[in-house]
Amino acid sequence: MTEFDLSRDSVRALNQGLHDSAEGRWLVSHPDGRHCIAVGLDAPVDVAIKGHVGYYCAGMNKRANITIDGSAGPGVAENIMSGTVRVLGNVSHCAGASGHGGLLVVEGDASARCGISMKGSDIVVAGSVGHMSAFMAQTGRLVVCGDAGDHLGDSIYEAVIYVAGRVGELGADCVEKEMTPEHRQGLADLLSAAGVEADPDSFRRYGSARKLYNFNIDHASDY
Amino acid sequence: MFGPARGTDMSKPNSLRPSATFPLEVLAEIHRAADQGIYEIRGFGTKRSLPNFDDLLFLGASMSRYPLEGYREKCATDVTLGTRFAKRPVELKIPITIAGMSFGALGAHAKEAIGRAASQIGTSTTTGDGGMTEEERQSSETLIYQVLPSRYGLNPDDVRRADALEIVVGQGAKPGGGGMLLGQKITERVAQMRDLPEGIDQRSACRHPDWTGPDDLEIKIQELREITDWQIPIYLKIGATRVDYDVALSVKAGADVIVLDGMQGGTAATQDVFIEQVGIPTLPALRMAVETLKELGMHRKVQLIVSGGIRTGSDIAKALAMGADAVSIGSAAMVALGCNKPVHLEDYRALGTEPGYCHHCHTGRCPVGVTTQDPELEARLMPEQGARLLRNYLTTLTLEIQTLARACGKSHVLNLEPEDMVALTIEASAMAGVPLAGTRWIPGA
């Protein structure tokens, strides 16, 4: 276990150390809202951060497992490729933006635009998400165990959204879809992998109506 | 009694007199809009007449200035970009870079040809929306990797093997707008790289997904520097609108290099109304950027690359004289590869156009194989052949810049200065900030 105290050394030194590590466990203390902690990792390391982090923590993560024992600022796990990022608290806006793979778990709530532009990653939020979540989401899955704000899934492509609670107004081209046994099983597996307890039968599924995939003048008012 | 309106063609009888408010092209566009119910989407760039570098002239050396001997005396062209923070700045042999053009908008052969030519001549090329292809990384010695709002294909492996990153905030052809790649160009490979279904219209976002203003951007840049261990430069590309604000904010956000794209910049596909009605020309944009950098004491410290309608060595020499550190070419590089060349005339006609007028990049049916994924059309541009054409063009541009610089007595092309130029028109004088020829007058100065 490598212990790193951010009250005594810099984020730069931490990230360089993590980039130079092929494996191992790291314990990071006193993050105190600093930005860009543990970004660009590309090794099967386990990183535990004790406290709140600022912008872009775990950005572009690949293979590493990162746990934030606190809340996270904007863009946590943005463009995640693989590995797991777990936030025990709440997250600010744009969590998991444009993620290509891997898993982001938020045990609290997520603010606006959670899963914006996601491209294959999985996001599980034990609480609720803010407005415009999964905006232009391309592929991947967003699971919301609580409520979802307005304009959910606006301009969504092939990503899938599951929501257990209330949903505000759906975004352009986003519709509720049938919850098939395959979707229910996939959701159950994802919840299990995320370590989040919820009844898969309580979720509804949302996805693209595919009316805006190719411009059609008759659909212009849907934008 | 009122006289005839200004510009009225009085040689024609009333029955054949055209309307200045509704000339033939406006009538045709209204008829087209009424038929189709949608704006026109097209490629290339603005077709309107704008003040440009042709409106400036050099004052060659004479009694008060000492010229350098053409062909004999050294006139250096090298430039270093990204000296502010990066441990490994980009070093180029010529001040001409190749602008970002996506794989998808361009075919793989065109991208590879550009990479080869740039490497052979000692300059950089740039990826585009859709990510980095293996072909272009292999063929490009110095490759700038764009970080775009869409984030299509963006991944940390490519970030780490890039020679610089370019965060695209805007594009001169459509500042404030996102990209558009119509379904007919979305082949299986393009779709796979962008994580989207084949055949759908791809709307690239106009805003980045995880930052919304200059304060966020500063942290975003910090993140990318951390990911790359502060090794490579970070460029910021802006479309020319409120240039003074944008340049100042780019400096504040921590950019190493600013890429400023004027409204003459090209695009693969955008609404005609966007191309023709949004942004400001390259000429005033460049002057505003240099002024702002000088006010901040950052001129030459944050390097400035200017693009948008650069075609000739004289355009480049004038841009450098106005204070740019380098230029970037996109449309002109495509023309060197064969864009609008009078060959395969039947294919131009099938698109409803002729060589010299074609702007049908958006269709994927490029007659010369540059902006297409169609294997049959793409075979018309083999990478070796394309590389030779572009290399010849870049060489010619460089020789032209050196010719003009030597004539002005400069031993390095970056030593050219505004004092070496005059303007032919009042508009160009005001926009470029150089005196009207034969006077000491700069309107607005």
Side-chain angles (χ1 to χ4, degrees), chain A residues 12 55-56 62 78 138 217, chain B residues 37 157 194 210 216 223:
Chain A
R12 174 80 287 271
Y55 280 60
Y56 308 129
K62 202 175 165 194
E78 66 86 21
Q138 295 174 213
I217 190 60
Chain B
D157 297 332
R194 298 178 182 221
D210 57 354
D216 286 0
E223 183 204 10

Side-chain angles (χ1 to χ4, degrees), chain A:
Chain A
M1 170 82 78
T2 304
E3 296 191 9
F4 197 100
D5 185 346
L6 278 170
S7 69
R8 292 195 305 205
D9 213 340
S10 65
V11 169
R12 174 80 287 271
L14 170 65
N15 285 329
Q16 190 66 63
L18 290 166
H19 293 171
D20 294 340
S21 294
E23 57 185 9
R25 295 171 60 207
W26 287 65
L27 178 65
V28 180
S29 59
H30 299 106
D32 299 339
R34 288 179 176 80
H35 307 310
C36 313
I37 293 174
V39 296
L41 273 54
D42 185 12
V45 294
D46 291 315
V47 182
I49 303 168
K50 293 294 202 185
H52 307 306
V53 296
Y55 280 60
Y56 308 129
C57 183
M60 291 201 175
N61 185 62
K62 202 175 165 194
R63 300 195 285 166
N65 295 311
I66 300 172
T67 302
I68 300 160
D69 188 358
S71 291
V76 65
E78 66 86 21
N79 218 85
I80 181 174
M81 303 300 291
S82 61
T84 302
V85 176
R86 179 180 296 277
V87 185
L88 305 188
N90 302 315
V91 298
S92 184
H93 60 87
C94 311
S98 73
H100 286 71
L103 172 64
L104 168 64
V105 182
V106 179
E107 298 197 356
D109 297 319
S111 183
R113 296 184 284 279
C114 178
I116 182 174
S117 189
M118 56 194 286
K119 297 164 170 45
S121 58
D122 287 323
I123 302 175
V124 178
V125 180
S128 299
V129 297
H131 68 274
M132 294 290 278
S133 287
F135 175 50
M136 291 184 87
Q138 295 174 213
T139 62
R141 295 174 292 182
L142 170 64
V143 179
V144 183
C145 300
D147 303 331
D150 282 342
H151 308 300
L152 178 70
D154 194 287
S155 304
I156 191 171
Y157 292 96
E158 293 299 299
V160 181
I161 307 171
Y162 299 100
V163 184
R166 289 169 299 163
V167 174
E169 188 182 337
L170 292 175
D173 214 29
C174 184
V175 293
E176 184 174 350
K177 294 188 167 183
E178 182 190 358
M179 191 76 177
T180 67
E182 291 76 23
H183 289 106
R184 197 169 287 110
Q185 185 57 54
L187 173 59
D189 294 343
L190 180 53
L191 287 165
S192 173
V196 172
E197 283 191 21
D199 178 9
D201 288 333
S202 65
F203 286 80
R204 282 169 293 158
R205 179 169 75 99
Y206 301 87
S208 178
R210 304 188 179 102
K211 283 167 64 182
L212 304 182
Y213 275 15
N214 293 91
F215 190 87
N216 182 330
I217 190 60
D218 296 329
H219 298 154
S221 59
D222 291 337
Y223 286 101

